[in-house]
Amino acid sequence: MISLLSHLSYVAITSPDVEASVKFYEEQVGLTVVDRIDGDVYLRCWGDYYRYSVVVKPGPEPSLATMAWRTTSPEALEEAARRVQEAGIAGAWVEGNAIGRAFEFVGPWGHSMTLHWDAEHHHAEGEAASIYPDRPSRRSRFAGAPRQLDHVTIATSDVDAFVRWYVDVLGFRFMARTVLDEAPISVFSVLTTNEKSHDLGVVLDGSSRAGRVNHYAFWVDTREELLIAADTLMENGTDIEYGPSIHGIGEQNFLYYREPSTLRIELNTGGYRNYVPDWDAQTWKPSLGSNNFYRNSRMPMSMTESFPPADGPSATEEGVPDEIKDALLNPYAAHGRG
Ligand SMILES: [Fe+2]
């Protein structure tokens, strides 16, 4: 298949309190507001190449409104739309802010995706302009401010089938997966459209609610900046949910925290680049350190929460059987690995 998608361009999320979320992105994360249109707020990281990378929309619950990918060409946009429709998904052509004509559809597991070719390239002027020609705007003065949007990780009831569909229909590269030590159940996979180890993550969702998101992530240039961001968040009263540490899959340094809507945000840096077109995706086990490279810490229970919250007490993450949840959270103790 010809390459259809080039990279994740923005995520649109909902928040019950848009102003509280926007204030957090400005004051705790280091993003800048660029547009306010019909109640939606558009924000950017200092190094994002296009006008914005995050849209905060009003909504009753934290959720992923859409995840947007830029195609590799105008022809690739038409081809991607054709392939989605051929796969039985109707979709619709829409006009987006600073992205022109875009194809929006809801995938088989309930996740909205927006594909576009046009994109307004950002060139800051005046105070915000960089002295360096390749930078869309000057480096943020905010400690630990992310340079760019990095990836999004959704939740789905069938990780392997989700991967197959997005590989077959849209040409994502399948990079790695995690299967439980105890049972042949896929709990995590990573897909990419470029040299990054992933720009789309997939976690198992034990709930009956479709279209959920687990987190989305920003990129900082160095591990030092990630540690400074962790320090700054702590000083500003924001709890760190998990990390800083290193993932086995992808080998990125990671740090997780929550924004006021409770939606989870990750900061990433480091990791390997992989541009092998016929990469052979390997199967990891939790005990091999798929989530934690050092195999020495437990993932907090809260990390299994996805958004919006699952409906009803019987259909929450508790839909994941206890023994599987235990294995996910504490694989090292379960396998006697120190
Ligand atoms: Fe992630």
Side-chain angles (χ1 to χ4, degrees):
M1 187 196 302
I2 60 159
S3 173
L4 296 175
L5 308 183
S6 56
H7 59 89
L8 178 69
S9 53
Y10 71 88
V11 294
I13 57 170
T14 59
S15 170
D17 187 341
V18 169
E19 288 314 316
S21 289
V22 168
K23 186 175 157 69
F24 184 85
Y25 285 114
E26 286 184 295
E27 297 180 5
Q28 307 295 328
V29 186
L31 270 53
T32 307
V33 171
V34 287
D35 289 313
R36 288 176 177 269
I37 303 172
D38 298 334
D40 297 346
V41 183
Y42 296 75
L43 299 111
R44 56 174 288 102
C45 306
W46 65 269
D48 283 321
Y49 292 116
Y50 310 136
R51 184 164 179 78
Y52 58 88
S53 61
V54 176
V55 188
V56 185
K57 304 165 81 71
E61 302 172 295
S63 72
L64 179 70
T66 198
M67 46 185 174
W69 262 264
R70 191 172 185 214
T71 61
T72 54
S73 68
E75 295 76 25
L77 174 59
E78 302 300 325
E79 174 66 9
R82 192 191 66 74
R83 293 182 63 90
V84 168
Q85 287 165 333
E86 199 177 77
I89 304 251
W93 290 96
V94 298
E95 257 328 283
N97 174 28
I99 59 163
R101 181 170 168 268
F103 183 71
E104 205 173 276
F105 69 94
V106 176
W109 288 271
H111 303 89
S112 169
M113 188 176 254
T114 302
L115 307 178
H116 63 100
W117 162 249
D118 290 333
E120 182 185 312
H121 290 229
H122 190 77
H123 303 287
E125 292 175 354
E127 269 280 289
S130 173
I131 61 170
Y132 300 109
D134 288 342
R135 286 189 175 178
S137 62
R138 69 182 304 150
R139 176 176 281 276
S140 173
R141 293 189 178 92
F142 189 98
R147 185 180 189 118
Q148 290 168 313
L149 178 66
D150 189 68
H151 68 264
V152 59
T153 294
I154 60 83
T156 179
S157 57
D158 190 334
V159 172
D160 291 341
F162 183 101
V163 167
R164 270 196 304 278
W165 196 90
Y166 284 81
V167 167
D168 290 348
V169 176
L170 290 171
F172 278 87
R173 268 194 312 148
F174 174 32
M175 304 306 288
R177 68 172 181 163
T178 303
V179 171
L180 291 180
D181 291 88
E182 288 76 7
I185 298 172
S186 294
V187 291
F188 181 66
S189 278
V190 280
L191 303 172
T192 192
T193 54
N194 51 47
E195 86 292 347
K196 288 195 294 196
S197 72
H198 68 296
D199 55 9
L200 179 58
V202 186
V203 298
L204 180 64
D205 191 342
S207 84
S208 57
R209 197 158 184 186
R212 300 208 298 158
V213 62
N214 186 268
H215 64 271
Y216 76 97
F218 297 109
W219 178 264
V220 291
D221 285 348
T222 63
R223 181 167 178 269
E224 287 69 26
E225 284 170 276
L226 188 136
L227 298 178
I228 287 168
D231 187 317
T232 305
L233 287 163
M234 289 300 291
E235 287 277 24
N236 289 341
T238 300
D239 293 337
I240 305 297
E241 187 176 17
Y242 185 31
S245 188
I246 302 179
H247 289 312
I249 291 178
E251 298 183 22
Q252 301 100 337
N253 294 265
F254 68 83
L255 166 70
Y256 295 95
Y257 56 100
R258 306 288 193 99
E259 64 116 293
S261 73
T262 72
L263 184 65
R264 180 178 301 103
I265 299 170
E266 181 182 10
L267 283 187
N268 258 196
T269 188
Y272 53 73
R273 287 173 290 176
N274 181 317
Y275 25 72
V276 179
D278 54 353
W279 177 247
D280 188 14
Q282 297 297 310
T283 296
W284 289 64
K285 305 279 184 188
S287 61
L288 295 175
S290 54
N291 185 265
N292 186 311
F293 185 90
Y294 299 116
R295 306 178 182 178
N296 66 354
S297 75
R298 297 180 186 194
M299 187 171 76
M301 180 75 82
S302 62
M303 287 290 295
T304 62
E305 292 170 14
S306 290
F307 309 89
D311 42 1
S314 62
T316 62
E317 285 72 25
E318 291 72 46
V320 178
D322 277 352
E323 62 273 23
I324 292 176
K325 191 182 287 177
D326 287 348
L328 279 173
L329 297 175
N330 191 14
Y332 320 110
H335 295 277
R337 303 178 77 109

